[in-house]
Amino acid sequence: MATAYTTPPPAGDGFRARVQRMGGHLAGMVMPNIGAFIAWGLITALFIPTGWVPNEELAELGDPMIKILLPLLIGYTGGRMVHGQRGAVVGAVATIGLVAGADIPMFLGAMIIGPLAAYLMKLFDGLIEDRVRPGFEMLVDNFSAGILAAAMAIAGKVAIGPVVRTLTEAAGDGVGWLVDHDVLPLTSVLIEPAKVLFLNNAINHGVLGPLGVQQAAETGKSILFMLESNPGPGLGVLLAYMFFGPRRLRPSTPAAMIIHFFGGIHEIYFPYILMKPRMILAAIAGGATGVAIFLASGTGLVAAPSPGSIFAYLAQTPRGTGNWIGVYSGMLASVAVSFAVGAVLLGFGRLAESSKEKDAPDGGAPASTEDPAAPEASAGSEAPEGAGGPEGPDGTRTGEGAGPGGDTTQQPATR
């Protein structure tokens, strides 16, 4: 039976806990809609001119899905997280103000305006609670939601949308500056965080793509096509999660790896980084490693690999042994480095267990790996006197002094 996506909330008010909570909210807006992302990715991978089964008519489905449908779903889900169905409705309407006329996917804007509109709706409902005369409840509810939703849609079109576009253009200009100054490996410092915020298409198709086309026309290939589209860093992050991540997430990683590496749908691994924001360092390290090897080997692709899958790379790699070695050695190195850094950041599993942070969000108390809903244990609590000995896999303590009369099972302490 399908269940809503949730992550255990971290305890504490520290910076790391606040970042983790924010990442959990962002992931919560995306994960329920992964099916829609997969549908868009499959249609794109199959029917675009460079796809597996090119079809011009069916390829027309891709643009409205990425620019309208997916942002609307994110805005709807974000509003629902804040204020139920009423929040979902006003969040979706508000998101329309962002996507109307936009030439880039407004994922980041939807993540802002959907919850914001729902929060304002929640505040209004709290103000008028028990103050509406009997018989007027439906009238007030419907008109208040309609007025607020319309106002937020206008605000999205006039105010929030331009801000998001400015941020997107700024990120693209930053990448362009690094390209112009021949410090390509450092582009990963901007590209990888921007990808996780769903600005990957804007950077790839808005900045790197046009520059790469110009370079390919002159030299027959371009390294710029590989800066954002390299599937290596994402694959390394997913491998780190599969071996060392929280146990509740490990079963989902093999399918995500197939969709990401073979299908080219990079969005599938973004929520994994949003759940543990420090994992962006692994993606940056892997991306920079790959770019450095691409640059040192003087390789490139003849056109943009769309989507960024291994099959698209095979199709766009120019002939010549040197090109093949450069492209795929760089890709494999980026997988290895992002996996290694990700494993360190995740504590190699055992390290997380020994420090009582196993399967716990950053800055939070540890939760049970078998049952995410299990009560949290106090990270700093000590065992009662006489309960020494190592802790067994089922949470009981065994060994000397485990209990009176040789009883090796410690009874739960009463709080």
Side-chain angles (χ1 to χ4, degrees):
M1 180 178 178
T3 57
Y5 170 79
T6 58
T7 55
D13 295 322
F15 175 76
R16 191 167 63 172
R18 289 196 295 268
V19 171
Q20 178 61 25
R21 275 193 289 268
M22 178 62 68
H25 292 315
L26 295 177
M29 283 185 268
V30 177
M31 288 297 289
N33 301 308
I34 285 295
F37 279 90
I38 293 174
W40 164 76
L42 291 174
I43 289 174
T44 302
L46 288 172
F47 302 122
I48 61 174
T50 58
W52 300 333
V53 189
N55 186 301
E56 184 177 354
E57 183 177 356
L58 294 179
E60 294 176 355
L61 295 171
D63 199 54
M65 289 180 72
I66 191 68
K67 291 183 178 178
I68 300 176
L69 174 63
L70 296 179
L72 280 179
L73 288 175
I74 290 175
Y76 180 92
T77 305
R80 191 179 185 90
M81 290 170 61
V82 174
H83 193 43
Q85 183 62 25
R86 281 171 64 77
V89 171
V90 298
V93 176
T95 306
I96 278 290
L98 292 175
V99 304
D103 55 354
I104 60 173
M106 282 290 185
F107 295 117
L108 181 59
M111 291 179 177
I112 297 173
I113 200 170
L116 176 60
Y119 179 70
L120 295 177
M121 189 78 263
K122 184 177 181 179
L123 290 179
F124 178 82
D125 288 347
L127 290 175
I128 67 170
E129 187 177 5
D130 299 328
R131 297 184 181 181
V132 180
R133 294 180 178 274
F136 289 89
E137 295 90 348
M138 182 176 293
L139 180 67
V140 173
D141 286 348
N142 290 338
F143 270 86
S144 62
I147 293 171
L148 177 63
M152 290 302 296
I154 294 172
K157 177 69 174 178
V158 175
I160 299 178
V163 171
V164 174
R165 282 191 289 271
T166 300
L167 292 175
T168 302
E169 292 173 0
D173 292 341
V175 174
W177 183 89
L178 294 174
V179 171
D180 293 338
H181 289 77
D182 296 325
V183 284
L184 287 179
L186 293 182
T187 57
S188 297
V189 176
L190 290 178
I191 289 175
E192 297 302 331
K195 285 176 66 175
V196 173
L197 294 176
F198 295 92
L199 298 176
N200 52 322
N201 289 303
I203 290 178
N204 193 28
H205 301 300
V207 179
L208 300 177
L211 293 174
V213 169
Q214 181 179 353
Q215 190 178 74
E218 298 173 357
T219 64
K221 60 185 177 182
S222 175
I223 190 177
L224 301 182
F225 292 133
M226 299 186 289
L227 299 186
E228 183 275 335
S229 63
N230 180 11
L235 180 60
V237 168
L238 292 173
L239 283 170
Y241 263 99
M242 183 175 73
F243 288 103
F244 304 115
R247 291 190 179 182
R248 66 182 181 276
L249 295 178
R250 293 181 189 180
S252 67
T253 53
M257 284 188 287
I258 293 173
I259 294 170
H260 166 69
F261 193 66
F262 295 105
I265 305 174
H266 292 203
E267 287 83 356
I268 197 74
Y269 80 88
F270 298 168
Y272 289 87
I273 292 181
L274 292 174
M275 282 185 283
K276 288 188 178 293
R278 65 176 181 260
M279 291 295 289
I280 191 62
L281 298 176
I284 291 173
T289 301
V291 173
I293 294 177
F294 297 151
L295 187 62
S297 61
T299 190
L301 301 181
V302 297
S306 181
S309 70
I310 185 62
F311 296 118
Y313 265 69
L314 290 171
Q316 304 298 347
T317 302
R319 293 181 179 179
T321 304
N323 287 317
W324 283 84
I325 293 176
V327 169
Y328 298 105
S329 62
M331 185 184 297
L332 291 175
S334 63
V335 174
V337 170
S338 60
F339 169 72
V341 175
V344 172
L345 294 174
L346 291 172
F348 294 103
R350 291 184 179 180
L351 177 60
E353 183 178 2
S354 64
S355 62
K356 294 186 180 294
E357 292 179 358
K358 185 177 180 181
D359 289 350
D362 292 357
S368 169
T369 59
E370 301 300 329
D371 182 6
E376 294 182 346
S378 174
S381 62
E382 297 180 0
E385 185 175 353
E391 184 171 317
D394 59 353
T396 61
R397 295 186 178 272
T398 60
E400 291 185 4
D407 184 4
T408 59
T409 303
Q410 178 189 349
Q411 298 299 324
T414 302
R415 294 181 181 271

